Amino acid sequence: MTAFKLGTATVFAVAICSVQALAQAHFQNNLMPQPAEISFGSDALALNSTFAVEVPGVSDARLTDAIGRDLRRIEMVAGLRHAGRGVAGTTKLVVKVEHVSAPVQTLGEDESYSLHVTPSGAEIDAPSELGAMHGLETLIQLVEPSGSGYVVPSVTIHDTPRFHWRGLMMDCARHFEPVSVIERTLDGMAAVKLNVFHWHLTEDQGFRIDSHVYPELVAKGSDGLFYTQQDAKEIVSYARARGIRVVPEFEMPGHSTAWLVAHPSLASGTPPTEIRREFGISPSAIDPTREATYVFLSRFLTEMATIFPDAYVHIGGDETPAPDWKTNPRILAFMKAHNLKDNAALQVYFNTRVLKIIAHLHRHMMGWDEVLTPGLPKDVVVQSWRGEASLSNGAKQGYEGVLSAPYYLDAMRPAGWHYLADPIPASSDLTPNERKLILGGEVCMWAEHLYSRTIDSRIWPRTAAIAERFWSPENLRDVDDMYRRLLPTSIELESLGLSHIEAEDAGLRELAGTEEIDALRTFASAFEPVSLHDRAHVQHTDQLTALDSFVDAVRPDPPSRHWFEVTVKRLLADPTGDTADRAALSAWFTQLSNTVPPTRQQMLTSPRLAEMSTRADQLLQLAAMGQQALHYLADGQKAPAGWKTRQTSTLDEASKPSALVRFVFLPAMTDLVNAVSE
Amino acid sequence: MTAFKLGTATVFAVAICSVQALAQAHFQNNLMPQPAEISFGSDALALNSTFAVEVPGVSDARLTDAIGRDLRRIEMVAGLRHAGRGVAGTTKLVVKVEHVSAPVQTLGEDESYSLHVTPSGAEIDAPSELGAMHGLETLIQLVEPSGSGYVVPSVTIHDTPRFHWRGLMMDCARHFEPVSVIERTLDGMAAVKLNVFHWHLTEDQGFRIDSHVYPELVAKGSDGLFYTQQDAKEIVSYARARGIRVVPEFEMPGHSTAWLVAHPSLASGTPPTEIRREFGISPSAIDPTREATYVFLSRFLTEMATIFPDAYVHIGGDETPAPDWKTNPRILAFMKAHNLKDNAALQVYFNTRVLKIIAHLHRHMMGWDEVLTPGLPKDVVVQSWRGEASLSNGAKQGYEGVLSAPYYLDAMRPAGWHYLADPIPASSDLTPNERKLILGGEVCMWAEHLYSRTIDSRIWPRTAAIAERFWSPENLRDVDDMYRRLLPTSIELESLGLSHIEAEDAGLRELAGTEEIDALRTFASAFEPVSLHDRAHVQHTDQLTALDSFVDAVRPDPPSRHWFEVTVKRLLADPTGDTADRAALSAWFTQLSNTVPPTRQQMLTSPRLAEMSTRADQLLQLAAMGQQALHYLADGQKAPAGWKTRQTSTLDEASKPSALVRFVFLPAMTDLVNAVSE
């Protein structure tokens, strides 16, 4: 019936918290992120439509809206017809806040809340509506079935985030994303308590925010795909309603082709005449040596400050080889006159000038790793895409920093890998004061290989696991339990309108030209996309490449991957013993093999599927290998001489690039094969 | 592997057109709607990335944009990396238009085009870009796989619509639809050559368009869910870019609770104090006897005319019992003074006054059936929701009309039923001149029981079949072939971003709380939602009811329904002969039975699924019944005495309401049972 079976759900307790009455309670802790402190009772609040909502403390429009939205979600998740419209005297949801937040959400603003649930009601207490909104998200995640209805377990939670900066960077420049995609992304972020939407708005491939001062920027630099100022204001407002700050990024002086197409006089050398379709690093750069550059940037950033109220502005600053700075006589003369010995020094000069503009706007400047060069003023936040070491190095020099290196989603790594990467690893040698400079982390979703129909599965649900890393206590490192909780979290994200699950089937139907994809769906569950690097290397993708292949349909880290890994691990702990796991694995191999003939049949009428032909052959071989390994292991039997060599060779072949996808189960399959004696 | 198998695709020829070389060609005619004239050649144009696009005649921004969009779709459907960027000398797509359309698309504007495809290229000729855009849609639908690539068959098409008014009415008032939902709906409409988006913007349940003149309308009448004027202008522009007119509807004098909540002085009696949550007919009505009413409406409609450029304005006019008109002494005195004998006469007075306002704005007035009362000025278009007879009656009196009665999607009828309903049936006794008054038809999508996550499957793909009725020659009435073509059309609509297929699985995952829905998916394929009437009767749905039950997940007229119907029909034509159909039916019954135990298991942990318990029992009984019938029929064997009585009783039970869904296969199952001898 199903492609894989999940292990029996286990009752979970965060190591640091007290857990009561687990013996009596059958409640699951599906929360993601896990709260700082949680303590379950033994009974529960039964949910029905007649509970009343009370807001006895301070109330404001943001809180009222959030309660309205969240009641709707409670109705949905608990199958209630109407929720929260009871009258005084019935069961209550009380939401009590002490004060209203500042009009512009600040870094470090208190996001804490308490949640107390008993059979007679639920109460959320928070300093401001910011924490209360987090408490409501937690409450929704606690709803679970019980008998013929739904309940919220009795629980006491005291929660506050580990890091203040918990972001998602979304590149809306290489491929444009419609406003509706951003809105559903913000819904997902709020559900897992992320609080910074870092909006990458300009690139070599496009300038995506309208400037009334410089209308040519989008007129010439966007292919007509850009956000109006009204759009941007609505995004800012939508984000704020969900407790999320919006940090805009305007890339300079590199990644700036789109600026230069619109305003050639800003260029360091011969200006580009059209936006760049190729990805990678462009030689174009804004000229840091002309006063007109700073007049321009000052006017532009001043205008943008009217749209983006956040205290931080990101100026990019990465990947600026700028060959013109080494050859343009005017620039070389400027460098000599200002005692700037190389490109790095010139970029520090540029950064310092831009920092002044930004400071004048009462904003802080943020930039990628490369901005961290000697002479950089201390009031700059460094976003590290090079690694924890780089971040740590910055902190030792006194710079605030945000970690992104291990959270690049386009590396197509499993959620568990990202999950274990910590902005302040246990091995960190930072002093307590230096640690305070690590503000948090940001997930990065670069857009070379995605567009509006595929972006969700690249972001979700993996980002939920990373969000837990940013929010929850650092000693929470149980990958298997994270994966257990990721499954319901993924369904919750889907119910918010994210298409990360459904888009796979839609892509497969489009490829096959039919609704009949039962076999193809299971076939696809064995594959995931290769990394950005591997794909770019093979496909030489550019901005105009149609993203409609098999690789675009399948999801990174599909549920089948972790299921196979843990099932093999369990089996290998007692290879001749447990039969349930063996039966499940064997059934899966059989099911995968059975998908190949009908999928081959579809390849005949769908040439777009035919590139999977080699992978189909390999899938048959791998499934047979798995069955043989199970057979040998069950009997404690030796494989014939040469068997392992042949399997290793097959595994090697299967690990090579083909059709831009890779098998999700090769590491565990290798373990299975290696466990066989020969 | 699959829940059902589709019959072998048949080469299809429209009766009225000449079809050449069918023997040589293996091309499928998947076009929907079918063109007026089509003639296939025997060879094809091979598609690769290097063809060049030429626009040698008149060009304008609308055409350029459409070509850009459509090239992207050709890339997607044909798996090309980049399309249409070849240089002169390569294969060509030529798009030649004679003149640019008027700035505001008019009713009756020439939408014709010709499409000529040969192995060396394709050419579209049209009077204006309006026809050219239709030709591009046809071209995309012609793309099909061939060998290792994709081709467009050689073909000559001369096409023009049968009716000028081919609309979809979307109720965005009872439940609000985000702009992105409307945009994807417009994409779908353009793909099947619909050309009127009738936008139902006001209702008892909400006022959805912002008025700067009367800001209270949305402030008090919308729950904050409304379209800004900028939103509306963007919708108008988005629609125009796709050859679609936007006709706004502002309901008056009935269905007007939201107006009256905002402006109590407009009410005929005691004004309502909040928008109406219940559906059905409200007693509230705008007061037609006060001059202030017309001052208000004049200012409002004058403002709306700046947003909606179309020549038609819909004023609703239906379902206005207006009890206050029979009791309010002031209104009664007015009626007496003006010699208005009853409510109908007062409404004619109202309509005549509003017509003057609309005429002053150089617009035509449109209204639902009820406006057609003695004394109605002739310059009013009547939209018939009561039936062909009502429409025909209007035409005989000299009124132009648009048929909607048989195109109510909320009746949850199969596409084939809608398809056969004709705005001018073969039996019509209208004269040629009266026939000219029948402008066309409109699909109606009322929103009592849907919202943004479920609307697509209610509209699509059934609307594609109706669109063919409005566009194609009247003698095209082959339901089976329509269903054959509906399958690829449905995939095309999905590729445009419509969620009509994927939303079912998303709904099932939400209900089951897991991704493991293989069994549940097949189980669900046996069901469809009951009609609006049946649902309202059982559920007493109101605007605040959560629409998250099993009925909301499943689709009306799923592909399994017609497959079962035709397969049974074919089997019964030769009940002891054909074994492929028997095997397929038997396999389906087995598959359906097998879904019941795992689905029951999911009911245990998902109380929201448990209401399907009775249906699950019945499914087992029906599947067993089907197997028995197949068995008796195969052997020409008699069933034991009483068997048919028992089956009929089971069928009767299964046809009764339960869980707001009905079995999709009861009529064909009844035929199967009745074919058995006893």
Side-chain angles (χ1 to χ4, degrees), chain A residues 1-6 72 75-82 85 145-150 180 451 453 490-491 494-497 501-503 505-506 509-510 513-516 518-519 521 539-548 555 559 598 604-608, chain B residues 1-6 72 75-82 85 145-150 180 451 453 490-491 494-497 501-503 505-506 509-510 513-516 518-519 521 539-548 555 559 598 604-608:
Chain A
M1 173 205 32
T2 55
F4 56 93
K5 292 211 80 61
L6 302 163
R72 198 73 187 161
E75 286 171 6
M76 297 297 254
V77 77
L80 302 179
R81 179 164 171 176
H82 303 132
R85 297 206 274 152
S146 174
S148 62
Y150 291 81
S180 58
Y451 73 118
R453 303 217 50 197
S490 187
I491 300 294
E494 178 166 48
S495 76
L496 285 166
I501 305 175
E502 69 193 19
D505 281 1
R509 281 187 290 266
E510 215 179 312
T514 170
E515 277 201 43
E516 301 188 45
D518 282 0
R521 180 189 293 118
Q539 194 178 34
H540 306 290
T541 334
D542 71 22
Q543 190 188 26
L544 302 177
T545 306
L547 300 173
D548 61 351
R555 299 180 268 174
L604 296 178
T605 52
S606 179
R608 291 164 65 196
Chain B
M1 174 203 36
T2 56
F4 56 91
K5 292 212 79 64
L6 303 164
R72 199 72 186 161
E75 287 170 5
M76 296 298 252
V77 76
L80 303 178
R81 178 164 173 176
H82 303 133
R85 298 206 273 152
S146 174
S148 63
Y150 291 80
S180 58
Y451 74 117
R453 304 218 46 199
S490 187
I491 300 293
E494 178 166 47
S495 76
L496 285 165
I501 304 175
E502 68 193 20
D505 281 2
R509 281 187 291 266
E510 217 179 311
T514 170
E515 278 201 43
E516 301 188 46
D518 282 359
R521 181 189 291 118
Q539 193 178 36
H540 305 291
T541 334
D542 71 21
Q543 191 188 27
L544 302 176
T545 306
L547 300 173
D548 61 350
R555 299 181 267 174
L604 295 178
T605 52
S606 179
R608 289 165 65 196

Side-chain angles (χ1 to χ4, degrees), chain B residues 250-571:
Chain B
F250 314 104
E251 271 264 22
M252 58 184 86
H255 285 282
S256 56
T257 305
W259 301 80
L260 307 179
V261 168
H263 292 274
S265 66
L266 292 176
S268 297
T270 308
T273 54
E274 49 184 43
I275 57 177
R276 185 177 156 97
R277 303 301 176 187
E278 305 76 41
F279 298 127
I281 300 175
S282 154
S284 298
I286 290 174
D287 186 344
T289 69
R290 300 178 58 184
E291 278 311 299
T293 295
Y294 302 104
V295 172
F296 181 98
L297 291 174
S298 174
R299 291 187 66 193
F300 174 77
L301 291 169
T302 302
E303 183 188 18
M304 291 298 116
T306 65
I307 302 168
F308 299 103
D310 197 79
Y312 290 79
V313 176
H314 203 299
I315 60 132
D318 59 317
E319 298 183 328
T320 310
D324 292 321
W325 296 0
K326 295 172 184 159
T327 54
N328 182 328
R330 193 170 46 71
I331 293 178
L332 289 169
F334 180 93
M335 288 169 71
K336 193 168 180 190
H338 288 74
N339 199 23
L340 301 166
K341 69 175 180 4
D342 56 12
N343 276 16
L346 183 56
Q347 195 167 344
V348 170
Y349 170 84
F350 175 81
N351 290 340
T352 309
R353 293 290 306 266
V354 175
L355 178 63
K356 272 188 199 139
I357 296 170
I358 289 176
H360 187 69
L361 296 167
H362 308 292
R363 302 290 201 273
H364 304 284
M365 188 165 113
M366 188 162 181
W368 298 101
D369 257 340
E370 286 92 329
V371 300
L372 182 56
T373 42
L376 181 76
K378 290 288 189 266
D379 182 29
V380 173
V381 177
V382 178
Q383 179 167 17
S384 176
W385 67 276
R386 290 179 172 169
E388 292 92 335
S390 163
L391 187 75
S392 179
N393 176 35
K396 286 177 184 169
Q397 296 176 53
Y399 293 97
E400 291 185 320
V402 169
L403 184 66
S404 280
Y407 310 123
Y408 267 42
L409 297 172
D410 59 12
M412 300 292 176
R413 289 202 165 92
W417 187 93
H418 294 298
Y419 183 66
L420 293 177
D422 200 302
I424 310 178
S427 60
S428 170
D429 61 354
L430 294 182
T431 65
N433 275 340
E434 287 164 354
R435 283 168 187 247
K436 284 183 192 152
L437 296 172
I438 310 293
L439 303 177
E442 261 190 23
V443 180
C444 286
M445 185 70 269
W446 298 107
E448 280 90 344
H449 292 152
L450 54 79
Y451 74 117
S452 56
R453 304 218 46 199
T454 58
I455 187 171
D456 289 2
S457 74
R458 274 57 183 155
I459 298 181
W460 307 105
R462 291 183 298 160
T463 291
I466 307 174
E468 175 159 294
R469 177 58 47 223
F470 299 160
W471 177 282
S472 303
E474 59 189 301
N475 59 355
L476 191 75
R477 295 177 71 81
D478 181 337
V479 170
D480 290 343
D481 190 74
M482 179 279 288
Y483 272 110
R484 178 187 67 76
R485 291 177 290 118
L486 199 59
L487 295 168
T489 303
S490 187
I491 300 293
E492 182 195 4
L493 292 165
E494 178 166 47
S495 76
L496 285 165
L498 289 158
S499 66
H500 56 296
I501 304 175
E502 68 193 20
E504 176 166 347
D505 281 2
L508 296 176
R509 281 187 291 266
E510 217 179 311
L511 279 167
T514 170
E515 278 201 43
E516 301 188 46
I517 57 159
D518 282 359
L520 187 58
R521 181 189 291 118
T522 304
F523 177 83
S525 73
F527 300 98
E528 65 181 346
V530 298
S531 69
L532 164 81
H533 178 268
D534 288 352
R535 179 167 185 175
H537 183 71
V538 172
Q539 193 178 36
H540 305 291
T541 334
D542 71 21
Q543 191 188 27
L544 302 176
T545 306
L547 300 173
D548 61 350
S549 300
F550 190 83
V551 58
D552 298 298
V554 294
R555 299 181 267 174
D557 199 14
S560 54
R561 198 202 60 77
H562 182 255
W563 169 81
F564 186 71
E565 183 182 294
V566 291
T567 310
V568 166
K569 194 162 60 176
R570 221 167 31 224
L571 180 89

